[in-house]
């Protein structure tokens, strides 16, 4: 049994809009497909549609296509930089463009007086609200990665401290690789003494800088978005620490050795100081007690001498 004619006519605008949306999301390389979709849409509209189904305004359609392209670009960037994690370094430009496209949709209004608001047509015209859902997903992912802690206040690039950390990180990996190549012939695979000795200074600087960034971040130094550093920095430090401690079996000399020895020595000598001070204090008391007796005995001797003189 053939479907009712009114049902087919009601599905025509949805089909046309779906074709336009897919063609716009495909990007500039699919220009023939976009032209074909536009021709098909025009044929569908010319076939006669109910008057209560407004077409998406050209301006709104252009905004939707731009948002689709930005979403695809950001998704591809996040996927390519998932391991090792380089999201904040490589995708902040895509994220900024996506925010700009979403803001344009939220603010835009059609040119004609009878046109619908683009925000209403694109964002809230259906139950699923795909554009809103995509925007929330990207925002939550970006916030979970704490990328704001790696970027400048305007999010236009990496902060100076992040660039300094990444520079030390790259130097550490280069040092590891260089020394592994140098000892690959002479030493066994489990002997990494050359790596530990030659890369100790670079790794120590990297570790100290990471600890400094953590302290600064907790105190609200560069950013107050979160107690964590951005995922790029955390992942880079985790990789380096695993290589240093587990793979190479290296260790850092404890920087608190001198204070620990000083405190231990002080506690060790406390009993000696205590007993010595007690001994000296008791002798002082004896002197104080004996001194008046000597003075009294001398006075009695003087009295006796005066009595018999």
């Amino acid at each position: 049994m053939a479907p009712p004619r009114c049902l087919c006519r009601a599905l025509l605008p949805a089909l046309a809009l779906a074709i336009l949306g897919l063609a716009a999301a495909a990007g500039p390389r699919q220009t023939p497909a976009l032209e074909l979709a536009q021709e098909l849409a025009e044929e569908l509209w010319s076939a006669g549609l109910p008057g209560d189904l407004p077409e998406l305004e050209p301006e709104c359609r252009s905004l939707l296509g731009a948002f689709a392209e930005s979403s695809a670009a950001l998704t591809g960037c996040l996927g390519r930089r998932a391991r090792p994690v380089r999201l904040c370094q490589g995708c902040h430009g895509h994220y900024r463009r996506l925010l700009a496209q979403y803001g344009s949709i939220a603010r835009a209004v059609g040119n004609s007086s009878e046109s619908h608001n683009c925000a209403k047509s694109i964002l809230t015209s259906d139950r699923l609200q795909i554009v809103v859902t995509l925007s929330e997903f990207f925002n939550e992912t970006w916030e979970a990665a704490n990328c704001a802690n790696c970027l400048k206040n305007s999010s236009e690039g990496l902060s100076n401290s992040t660039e300094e950390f990444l520079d030390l990180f790259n130097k550490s990996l280069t040092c590891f690789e260089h020394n592994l190549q140098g000892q690959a012939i002479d030493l066994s695979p489990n002997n990494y003494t050359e790596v530990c000795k030659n890369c100790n200074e670079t790794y120590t600087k990297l570790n100290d800088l990471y600890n400094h960034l953590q302290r600064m971040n907790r105190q609200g130094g560069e950013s107050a978005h979160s107690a964590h550093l951005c995922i790029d920095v955390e992942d880079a430090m985790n990789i380096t620490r695993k290589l240093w401690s587990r793979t190479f079996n290296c260790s850092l000399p404890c920087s608190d050795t001198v204070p620990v020895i000083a405190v231990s020595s002080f506690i060790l000598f406390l009993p000696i100081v205590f007993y010595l001070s007690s001994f000296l204090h008791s002798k002082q008391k004896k002197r104080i007690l004996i001194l008046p007796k000597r003075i009294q005995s001398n006075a009695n001797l003087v009295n006796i001498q005066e009595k018999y003189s």
Side-chain angles (χ1 to χ4, degrees):
M1 180 178 179
R5 183 177 179 83
C6 61
L7 179 60
C8 294
R9 291 170 65 85
L11 292 177
L12 287 177
L15 177 61
L17 293 178
I19 295 174
L20 283 174
L22 291 175
R29 294 183 180 179
Q30 303 294 331
T31 302
L34 180 58
E35 293 177 354
L36 179 61
Q38 290 175 346
E39 293 176 1
L40 180 57
E42 291 176 0
E43 292 179 2
L44 292 173
W45 284 105
S46 62
L49 295 172
D52 58 346
L53 294 177
E55 182 185 3
L56 194 64
E57 289 293 325
E59 179 186 356
C60 300
R61 188 185 302 115
S62 175
L63 292 173
L64 180 59
F67 179 84
E69 293 177 2
S70 298
S71 300
L74 180 57
T75 302
C77 182
L78 294 177
R80 290 189 299 270
R81 296 175 180 270
R83 291 302 310 163
V85 183
R86 300 294 183 268
L87 307 182
C88 306
Q89 303 174 53
C91 303
H92 63 88
H94 295 293
Y95 180 69
R96 286 173 50 233
R97 283 189 288 272
L98 181 79
L99 292 180
Q101 295 296 343
Y102 186 83
S104 298
I105 292 175
R107 293 188 303 268
V109 178
N111 293 327
S112 64
S113 59
E114 297 179 356
S115 63
H116 288 255
N117 189 313
C118 290
K120 182 178 179 181
S121 301
I122 298 175
L123 303 180
T124 60
S125 60
D126 58 83
R127 177 178 59 85
L128 197 56
Q129 300 181 5
I130 287 293
V131 174
V132 176
T133 302
L134 286 174
S135 178
E136 290 178 351
F137 165 75
F138 289 124
N139 289 334
E140 290 173 0
T141 302
W142 200 255
E143 291 176 3
N146 295 313
C147 288
N149 289 326
C150 280
L151 305 175
K152 298 176 181 178
N153 293 332
S154 56
S155 298
E156 295 180 353
L158 298 176
S159 62
N160 294 334
S161 58
T162 303
E163 290 182 348
E164 181 183 2
F165 175 86
L166 293 176
D167 180 62
L168 282 174
F169 170 69
N170 292 329
K171 288 180 179 179
S172 298
L173 295 184
T174 302
C175 183
F176 295 163
E177 182 179 3
H178 176 74
N179 285 274
L180 285 175
Q181 292 175 352
Q183 70 175 28
I185 300 177
D186 300 331
L187 301 177
S188 62
N190 295 326
N191 191 345
Y192 300 106
T193 54
E194 292 297 319
V195 177
C196 300
K197 180 177 68 175
N198 297 332
C199 302
N200 179 73
E201 182 179 357
T202 306
Y203 177 78
T204 302
K205 290 181 179 178
L206 179 70
N207 191 66
D208 291 343
L209 178 58
Y210 181 80
N211 294 332
H212 173 71
L213 292 177
Q214 278 189 320
R215 290 191 299 269
M216 292 292 294
N217 193 63
R218 293 193 187 102
Q219 298 171 2
E222 288 195 358
S223 174
H225 287 81
S226 173
H228 295 280
L229 297 174
C230 75
I231 189 64
D232 292 26
V233 172
E234 289 183 346
D235 185 70
M237 195 67 229
N238 288 337
I239 291 174
T240 312
R241 284 175 173 174
K242 287 179 182 178
L243 288 173
W244 182 260
S245 60
R246 296 182 185 180
T247 304
F248 305 141
N249 198 25
C250 302
S251 61
L252 282 178
C254 183
S255 58
D256 297 332
T257 302
V258 175
V260 168
I261 294 176
V263 172
S264 302
S265 303
F266 175 75
I267 295 176
L268 180 65
F269 283 99
L270 270 180
I272 300 175
V273 174
F274 173 76
Y275 286 115
L276 182 61
S277 62
S278 299
F279 174 74
L280 295 177
H281 186 67
S282 61
K283 289 197 68 175
Q284 186 68 22
K285 277 190 172 182
K286 287 181 180 179
R287 290 179 180 178
I288 294 174
L289 292 175
I290 294 173
L291 185 58
K293 292 182 179 179
R294 290 179 177 176
I295 294 174
Q296 185 178 5
S297 61
N298 292 335
N300 293 335
L301 181 60
V302 171
N303 291 335
I304 293 173
Q305 291 176 352
E306 289 179 353
K307 183 177 181 181
Y308 289 98
S309 58

